[in-house]
Amino acid sequence: ILENEKLKLELQSKERQMLSVPKQNDIQLNQHYQEQKQDAEKYGVFNSTFDLFCSSTLIGTFSGHSKWVRSIDCLSVNGSELICSGSDDKTVRVWDARSTTKSIQIFRGHSDSVRCVKFVEHQYPSYNLPIIGSASNDKTIRVWDFKTTKEFQVFTGHTASVCSIAFSSFDDGRYLCSGSDEKLSAYGMLKLQIITCLVLCVEFSSLQNGVGVIGGSGHTICSGSSDNTICLWDVQTTKQLTVFRGHENWVRSATYCQNETGNDCRICSGSDDKTVILWDIRTGKPTNVFKGHTNFVHCVTNPPFTRNGYNIICSGSSDNTIRFWDSRTNAQLHEIKGNVKEDGGIACFEWLSMKSAMKENNYSRCYSLCYGSCKGNIRLYG
């Protein structure tokens, strides 16, 4: 045990030294990344805990977009870690997080800004590759063939900008939910109740959203809007279940958060009022308000690790910071600062789970944080 602790300390010291090294090109950063992961495999140490993640450093920068990166999604498939991005430059791009800082696929077809991108969980049996969905200000939702970069399905039912999409966490992502500037959300071929605001974000609950807790099927959709509220919808009946009120400006991001038992019984939201709020789904009341950002909060999430057994909340803002919050005390635990001149603000982020083989049939995971900036750069920390 003492030897393992010594190795952990050595790895953390190495990572801190990397932080003090002057800025290097992306090839060198990726070499550092590979060396770090090799050491982790050798010693059996991975940044799967929050304390280890706090000592992580910049892995690389992905350059190619010429304008604001509005959305990012990540997926581990076939031994590769993929990053998908959508931008105001009207393109959707896919990057290989391990091998290159250049995009490996570019999808062109939208005639206006791409507001949201998502990997679809089910795959083509013949290709064993993911499918990509994208939403745009051109009022369309497009589904892309990963191998050919051609669109094979276009949804044209919206009459205004489509701000957000989500594929269902059940039935292999067969169902699609979308939020639009036309003041409604759509689920599959059905429409949810019309609401008098812009729907800026939508998300399906996971399979852990306790059946019988709320919603007849156990599945719900949450949406954030320009009327400063978050709404909860029943997937089976398409009826509105709950309205969460407390923000004082537009809600840019809303996501389900698991509690310590693994159930989606909370919702976390980020707003133009510069706050992050954690809500109890059962009561509809806020349990935590996190204050510290100095500009709009564009993205929030529940990181894939805990601290001392308690959940952490993560948020990204136009103030060019990503902040980590203690869900018990509301205190800020850690902060990542973007490049002021080159980033111009944090627009979106996602967690990338990286699976590394240690021994036969024995795998461990580390987590990297990927963010898109207001000036078009994509950066990866791990």
Side-chain angles (χ1 to χ4, degrees):
I1 295 175
L2 291 175
E3 185 66 16
N4 285 338
E5 290 299 321
K6 181 180 179 181
L7 292 172
K8 288 182 182 179
L9 292 173
E10 289 176 354
L11 180 58
Q12 291 176 15
S13 175
K14 183 176 181 180
E15 291 172 333
R16 284 192 291 269
Q17 291 172 9
M18 289 168 60
L19 284 170
S20 64
V21 175
K23 183 177 179 181
Q24 305 173 68
N25 62 40
D26 288 339
I27 294 177
Q28 291 173 307
L29 285 170
N30 282 330
Q31 288 175 344
H32 282 305
Y33 168 73
Q34 294 299 337
E35 291 170 1
Q36 180 182 344
K37 299 312 173 191
Q38 289 171 3
D39 286 347
E41 290 182 3
K42 179 179 179 181
Y43 301 137
V45 180
F46 290 83
N47 67 341
S48 56
T49 67
F50 176 70
D51 291 335
L52 281 175
F53 177 79
C54 288
S55 64
S56 63
T57 185
L58 178 66
I59 294 171
T61 298
F62 302 85
S63 300
H65 284 300
S66 59
K67 295 182 179 180
W68 189 314
V69 177
R70 294 279 179 179
S71 177
I72 281 178
D73 199 16
C74 298
L75 181 67
S76 297
V77 61
N78 299 336
S80 297
E81 279 72 39
L82 303 178
I83 302 167
C84 184
S85 57
S87 167
D88 280 358
D89 65 12
K90 308 175 187 177
T91 68
V92 176
R93 295 172 184 254
V94 174
W95 321 75
D96 187 332
R98 284 185 178 271
S99 64
T100 179
T101 56
K102 302 297 182 183
S103 54
I104 59 175
Q105 295 286 38
I106 303 177
F107 305 84
R108 306 180 191 274
H110 284 296
S111 60
D112 208 332
S113 299
V114 179
R115 299 288 296 274
C116 186
V117 292
K118 294 291 182 182
F119 283 113
V120 186
E121 292 298 329
H122 64 275
Q123 305 167 352
Y124 280 131
S126 57
Y127 298 156
N128 198 30
L129 292 170
I131 299 169
I132 293 171
S134 60
S136 169
N137 283 352
D138 66 11
K139 309 173 188 177
T140 69
I141 301 167
R142 299 171 188 258
V143 185
W144 307 86
D145 183 316
F146 185 95
K147 187 174 183 179
T148 67
T149 72
K150 303 297 182 182
E151 61 190 37
F152 65 86
Q153 191 166 9
V154 181
F155 297 91
T156 58
H158 283 290
T159 59
S161 299
V162 186
C163 301
S164 179
I165 55 172
F167 291 91
S168 61
S169 54
F170 50 91
D171 289 350
D172 294 324
R174 177 182 176 184
Y175 298 101
L176 172 68
C177 178
S178 57
S180 169
D181 284 358
E182 67 188 292
K183 305 175 184 177
L184 62 84
S185 294
Y187 163 68
M189 298 304 294
L190 299 175
K191 292 183 179 179
L192 304 177
Q193 291 178 343
I194 294 177
I195 52 180
T196 57
C197 56
L198 282 64
V199 180
L200 301 170
C201 53
V202 292
E203 182 175 302
F204 279 97
S205 64
S206 71
L207 295 175
Q208 286 76 35
N209 189 32
V211 176
V213 174
I214 192 166
S217 68
H219 294 285
T220 56
I221 294 169
C222 69
S223 62
S225 307
S226 64
D227 67 353
N228 312 342
T229 70
I230 302 100
C231 293
L232 197 69
W233 310 85
D234 189 307
V235 167
Q236 187 174 29
T237 65
T238 73
K239 301 298 183 182
Q240 188 181 92
L241 298 170
T242 310
V243 179
F244 302 87
R245 305 181 189 277
H247 281 297
E248 298 177 356
N249 210 327
W250 289 16
V251 178
R252 297 279 179 181
S253 179
T255 185
Y256 292 89
C257 287
Q258 294 184 353
N259 62 8
E260 284 69 27
T261 62
N263 290 318
D264 281 353
C265 66
R266 297 184 291 188
I267 288 175
C268 185
S269 59
S271 167
D272 284 2
D273 65 12
K274 308 173 188 177
T275 69
V276 177
I277 297 181
L278 192 62
W279 310 81
D280 188 321
I281 289 179
R282 293 161 293 191
T283 66
K285 304 296 183 181
T287 60
N288 305 76
V289 179
F290 307 98
K291 297 181 179 180
H293 283 296
T294 59
N295 210 327
F296 298 165
V297 179
H298 290 290
C299 41
V300 294
T301 190
N302 206 167
F305 38 63
T306 61
R307 185 173 186 266
N308 299 326
Y310 290 90
N311 286 341
I312 300 168
I313 301 300
C314 180
S315 58
S317 167
S318 290
D319 66 12
N320 213 37
T321 67
I322 298 172
R323 303 178 189 231
F324 298 80
W325 311 90
D326 190 319
S327 63
R328 297 169 299 165
T329 66
N330 297 351
Q332 181 177 310
L333 300 171
H334 182 57
E335 178 179 315
I336 294 175
K337 294 183 179 180
N339 187 300
V340 176
K341 292 183 178 179
E342 298 179 5
D343 291 343
I346 308 299
C348 54
F349 61 64
E350 281 292 338
W351 290 94
L352 180 61
S353 174
M354 309 192 78
K355 184 177 181 181
S356 300
M358 294 170 59
K359 295 180 181 179
E360 185 178 359
N361 299 323
N362 184 15
Y363 295 91
S364 186
R365 290 185 180 274
C366 57
Y367 294 95
S368 296
L369 179 65
C370 182
Y371 76 78
S373 76
C374 297
K375 290 190 175 181
N377 290 313
I378 297 170
R379 302 192 191 276
L380 189 63
Y381 276 80

